[in-house]
Amino acid sequence: MVSDHPFKFSKPLKVLVVEDNQVDLRVIEAMLMEDEHAMGLLKTTNTLKGALEFLQEYEFDIVILDLNLPDHQGTTTIKKLHEFYPQAAIVINTGAYEAELGIDALQYGAQDFLVKGKYNGYTLIKVLHYAIKRKELETRLVKALDELRETQGHLIQAEKMKVVGGLASGVAHEVKNPLAAVKYGVQYLKEQLKTDDEKIKTVISNINEAADRANLIITDLLDYSGLSEMKMKKSSLNDCVVKGLALVNHEIEKKEIVLTQKFHEQLPDIEIDHYRIEQVIINVLLNAIHAVESKGAITVETLQNGETTVCLRIKDSGNGIGEQDIDKIFDPFFTTKRAKGGVGLGLSVCKNIMDTHNAVIEINNHPDGGAEARLVFQLKPTHSA
Ligand SMILES: Nc1ncnc2c1ncn2[C@@H]1O[C@H](COP(=O)(O)OP(=O)(O)OP(=O)(O)O)[C@@H](O)[C@H]1O
Ligand SMILES: [Mg+2]
């Protein structure tokens, strides 16, 4: 009796048998039904098309598959089935003359194979039992591999930031002094020249602006590596947003952007370096301002998620981020705004600041269009500074 077998399934089995030979089908069905209680669902079909329809409608643990179906033959049948429904174990049911095909089948995603006429109820259940166990292990292995790849990705990113950060701060220190000399020199010339020549005035003003811009970049670069000197204290995220908004207000007004503000009134304070967090907010707001057309919309919203986190959302009505760019936006020097003076440091500085606060910054395209940035802070102070 099959029910005497030692292979206990953790729950009733859900089996799909794909077999066009009626005799073979009856044999399998009879063997499976010997242990009726072990069977949660049993469906049969004689075509691949029928199999795919069943797989769409029901959940199965295992598919017993013949490779010689009227509408599909050979090992690609397994591939099709596996791609369509990767979560089920697959056991191939082959004729003795195709036994080698059975071995090939394992490479295409099947867990085991049966040779027709060479098995009984006991071996059938044994094969199904091990196929399901193997599938479970395989699924866990694939998940572990995915996690490993993700961790590896994070490590590479962290390493990249460290290298660029180190390089950048070195260069920044070197450039800061000559830049100060340029700035001072221009200022001096402006005072001493006292000329009415518009051309000379424009040139001086251009040099001044360029020096200011370069100084801004250098300051960003220095911030990038100077994060160890953070001044953490209990602060209000709402206040940081208000200050950030005040600093970019002229840009908002210039573009006639419709700004919606939704502040959570009882938002608990968080342990942050508020100056750094304001910097993050300003950078994200500036990106949103750049992204929207004139008279576009930006919404800022603060909220609390349960007892554990507070969050700031900044959503804009721009065109969002291109699919090909979404993985790169936090990379140092990645910009799609080079022609308009973008340097590509804004978000990498933000990410660095947020990492040091053990906080998270995510930017994604919103289903309604535009991009949405989410800044999430832990209520328990866990910064790693
Ligand atoms: N709200 C947004 N909508 C669309 N694209 C965005 C948005 N925010 C960021 N991006 C994309 O991410 C890129 C990187 O942003 P990041 O702030 O790091 O650099 P930047 O704005 O280009 O230059 P800067 O160093 O002056 O900030 C941008 O060039 C843009 O392509
Ligand atoms: Mg930016």
Side-chain angles (χ1 to χ4, degrees):
M1 279 292 287
V2 173
S3 46
D4 294 336
H5 63 74
F7 310 109
K8 294 285 168 255
F9 298 103
S10 52
K11 53 185 177 19
L13 267 196
K14 295 175 183 169
V15 187
L16 172 63
V17 187
V18 192
E19 175 60 76
D20 69 323
N21 182 313
Q22 287 307 302
V23 179
D24 292 335
L25 186 61
R26 296 286 156 257
V27 171
I28 295 177
E29 259 186 312
M31 286 177 181
L32 289 173
M33 290 317 284
E34 269 185 56
D35 191 357
E36 212 176 316
H37 299 299
M39 222 32 65
L41 177 72
L42 177 58
K43 293 280 172 197
T44 62
T45 172
N46 55 6
T47 58
L48 177 65
K49 184 169 173 284
L52 299 184
E53 280 167 11
F54 271 135
L55 288 168
Q56 206 156 30
E57 201 173 336
Y58 301 94
E59 276 183 17
F60 292 97
D61 304 306
I62 194 145
V63 182
I64 302 176
L65 178 69
D66 176 26
L67 292 184
N68 233 332
L69 300 169
D71 60 344
H72 217 281
Q73 295 84 37
T75 40
T76 53
T77 321
I78 312 168
K79 218 168 152 234
K80 287 225 150 137
L81 209 97
H82 181 63
E83 277 169 13
F84 188 79
Y85 196 84
Q87 56 270 48
I90 301 175
V91 166
I92 304 303
N93 194 25
T94 62
Y97 56 93
E98 308 161 324
E100 272 186 20
L101 205 67
I103 295 175
D104 280 352
L106 303 184
Q107 294 167 15
Y108 287 89
Q111 270 65 44
D112 209 336
F113 71 97
L114 293 156
V115 179
K116 288 178 184 175
K118 301 277 184 203
Y119 60 89
N120 55 24
Y122 178 88
T123 35
L124 172 66
I125 294 296
K126 184 174 108 174
V127 163
L128 297 193
H129 182 83
Y130 284 123
I132 288 173
K133 287 274 166 233
R134 226 168 274 147
K135 181 72 194 179
E136 277 169 16
L137 281 176
E138 191 188 294
T139 310
R140 269 162 47 197
L141 216 62
V142 169
K143 196 165 159 263
L145 194 69
D146 280 351
E147 283 168 8
L148 210 66
R149 285 212 181 103
E150 204 183 310
T151 313
Q152 192 189 27
H154 286 156
L155 280 175
I156 292 173
Q157 181 67 10
E159 218 30 55
K160 213 158 70 179
M161 303 287 267
K162 228 165 78 188
V163 172
V164 178
L167 254 173
S169 70
V171 174
H173 278 295
E174 291 297 321
V175 176
K176 194 125 181 105
N177 288 342
L179 203 59
V182 172
K183 196 63 197 148
Y184 174 78
V186 173
Q187 205 55 39
Y188 180 78
L189 284 179
K190 210 166 143 188
E191 283 161 20
Q192 297 298 314
L193 263 170
K194 306 232 172 356
T195 170
D196 290 330
D197 186 330
E198 283 306 315
K199 259 194 191 154
I200 293 179
K201 277 182 165 171
T202 312
V203 169
I204 289 182
S205 145
N206 284 351
I207 298 174
N208 201 28
E209 269 176 34
D212 280 345
R213 169 117 189 93
N215 207 34
L216 217 72
I217 297 168
I218 296 296
T219 312
D220 264 358
L221 284 175
L222 285 173
D223 275 347
Y224 196 87
S225 51
L227 293 173
S228 51
E229 301 144 25
M230 294 214 305
K231 295 185 188 75
M232 308 293 284
K233 72 169 203 268
K234 283 256 174 215
S235 319
S236 148
L237 181 60
N238 285 346
D239 283 356
C240 290
V241 180
V242 171
K243 283 190 190 140
L245 278 170
L247 285 173
V248 298
N249 194 39
H250 58 290
E251 304 283 330
I252 293 181
E253 281 182 354
K254 207 161 69 188
K255 264 188 147 174
E256 295 179 67
I257 292 169
V258 181
L259 176 71
T260 309
Q261 305 175 53
K262 300 179 191 167
F263 289 114
H264 183 300
E265 305 235 323
Q266 270 99 41
L267 203 66
D269 284 350
I270 42 177
E271 182 93 1
I272 50 169
D273 179 327
H274 72 95
Y275 167 71
R276 304 282 190 195
I277 295 305
E278 271 164 48
Q279 255 184 302
V280 173
I281 294 169
I282 290 167
N283 268 307
V284 174
L285 280 171
L286 282 176
N287 282 349
I289 292 167
H290 294 152
V292 299
E293 303 279 324
S294 145
K295 297 193 170 61
I298 294 179
T299 305
V300 295
E301 182 180 11
T302 55
L303 36 124
Q304 182 176 358
N305 301 320
E307 295 294 298
T308 51
T309 57
V310 296
C311 170
L312 165 65
R313 287 208 295 237
I314 298 180
K315 184 184 170 324
D316 64 64
S317 66
N319 291 327
I321 302 157
E323 279 302 313
Q324 70 285 359
D325 298 334
I326 205 111
D327 292 335
K328 304 186 206 138
I329 57 171
F330 291 104
D331 284 356
F333 302 110
F334 173 79
T335 178
T336 53
K337 299 183 263 179
R338 184 99 47 214
K340 291 184 195 149
V343 179
L345 272 178
L347 288 183
S348 66
V349 171
C350 292
K351 171 94 175 62
N352 223 10
I353 296 176
M354 293 296 278
D355 281 353
T356 326
H357 281 80
N358 267 341
V360 177
I361 175 166
E362 295 170 339
I363 303 180
N364 287 303
N365 288 326
H366 195 275
D368 301 339
E372 182 182 76
R374 277 166 46 89
L375 277 54
V376 184
F377 300 87
Q378 299 291 331
L379 277 172
K380 269 196 296 172
T382 51
H383 72 90
S384 57

